[in-house]
Amino acid sequence: MEQTVQLGALIGLAAAVFVGASTQRISGMGFALVASPFLVMVLGPFEGIMLVNFLGACSSLLIFAQVFRQVEYKKIALLLVPAVIMTFPGAWVAKLLGGPWLSIGISIMVILALGASFLVRNLPAGQSKGLAIGAGAISGFMSVTAGVSGPAIAGYAVASRWPQAKFAISVQLYFLVLAVSSLLAKGGMPQLDWIQWITCLAAMVLGIVLGNVLAPKIPAKISRAFVVLVALAGAVVLLVNGITALA
C-alpha cells in the first residue's frame, strides 16, 4: 500500500511538471500556475514552492536560451526591480506560516490573481509605469510565498496590450531571475530523493520538447484559457485540502 502511494505521488509530480513545462513553452507562462497547487499537495507548502521555484528557473532558462535575441529587456527590467525586492518579505511570510494555513493562503492568492488578470484588461492606466511597478511587486511577493508569479504579470500584459508573441518570449527572463531570487531569499534548495529529481527533470525537458512542437499550432487565446482553467482547478483542490486539514 505504501509503495502504491509513493508511486502515485511520483506520477503526480511528473504529470504536474510535464504539463507545466509544456504550457510555459506554449503560452509564455503557466509553469507555476499549473504545477504549484499539485506540487504543494504532494510535498507540502514550503518544499513544494521551493521545487516550483527551482524547476521554474530551469524551465525558463531552457526556453530563454532559444529566444534571448528577441527579448524586450527594458520592459522586463521595469518589472523585475520591484519583484526582486518583494521576494524578501515574501520569504519571511512563507517561513512564518506553515501547513494548512499556507496551503489556504496559496490557493486564495492564485484564485484572486487569476480573477484580477481579467479585471485590469480595460484600465486606462494600463500603459503606465506605476502599473508595471505594482504588478512586479505583487508578482515577486507571490513568487516566493505561492510559487506563482504569472497572474499579476499576465494582467499587466493584457492591460498594457503587450502582444502575446513578444510577451511569451520576453517574460522568460523575468521568470528566470525571479525564481532564482525566490530561492536565494529562502536560503536553500528543495529536499528530494534522487528518483524524484530525475523524474521531475525528465518531465520538464519532455514538456518543453512537446511545447516546442505545439507552440506554433495553438492560438494564444486557447493556450491562456487552458492555463487559467488548470490553475483554478488545482487551487480549488488545494483550498479544500487545507480547510479539511484544519477541521
Side-chain angles (χ1 to χ4, degrees):
M1 182 65 179
E2 184 178 349
Q3 290 181 340
T4 302
V5 172
Q6 291 177 344
L7 179 60
L10 195 63
I11 293 173
L13 280 175
V17 173
F18 176 80
V19 176
S22 60
T23 303
Q24 178 92 3
R25 179 61 188 93
I26 292 168
S27 66
M29 57 173 283
F31 182 88
L33 275 172
V34 172
S36 64
F38 302 101
L39 296 187
V40 167
M41 281 188 284
V42 174
L43 299 175
F46 195 76
E47 287 291 331
I49 295 307
M50 287 185 74
L51 182 60
V52 170
N53 293 146
F54 178 78
L55 293 178
C58 293
S59 177
S60 294
L61 177 60
L62 290 175
I63 298 171
F64 174 70
Q66 302 176 58
V67 298
F68 69 93
R69 292 185 180 87
Q70 304 168 59
V71 171
E72 296 183 76
Y73 288 97
K74 289 184 179 180
K75 274 192 174 183
I76 295 301
L78 186 62
L79 294 166
L80 265 177
V81 173
V84 171
I85 291 173
M86 287 303 294
T87 60
F88 293 97
W92 178 79
V93 172
K95 292 178 180 178
L96 182 66
L97 297 177
W101 285 112
L102 187 54
S103 295
I104 292 171
I106 289 169
S107 60
I108 291 175
M109 281 192 290
V110 172
I111 293 170
L112 290 177
L114 287 171
S117 68
F118 291 97
L119 294 176
V120 301
R121 66 176 60 193
N122 294 318
L123 286 178
Q127 303 289 333
S128 70
K129 290 184 179 180
L131 182 61
I133 293 171
I138 295 170
S139 173
F141 183 84
M142 288 186 62
S143 174
V144 74
T145 54
V148 178
S149 57
I153 299 304
Y156 169 73
V158 173
S160 64
R161 298 177 178 84
W162 198 346
Q164 167 63 17
K166 293 182 178 179
F167 166 76
I169 290 171
S170 299
V171 81
Q172 300 311 313
L173 176 60
Y174 177 86
F175 289 138
L176 170 60
V177 175
L178 191 55
V180 172
S181 299
S182 298
L183 284 171
L184 291 175
K186 287 184 175 180
M189 288 281 290
Q191 301 299 312
L192 304 179
D193 59 44
W194 67 272
I195 296 178
Q196 290 174 318
W197 275 119
I198 291 175
T199 300
C200 287
L201 292 173
M204 181 186 66
V205 172
L206 291 174
I208 292 174
V209 170
L210 177 63
N212 284 335
V213 175
L214 295 180
K217 304 176 182 178
I218 299 180
K221 289 184 179 180
I222 294 178
S223 64
R224 280 188 174 176
F226 176 75
V227 169
V228 171
L229 289 175
V230 174
L232 181 61
V236 170
V237 172
L238 184 59
L239 177 63
V240 172
N241 286 349
I243 295 173
T244 302
L246 287 176

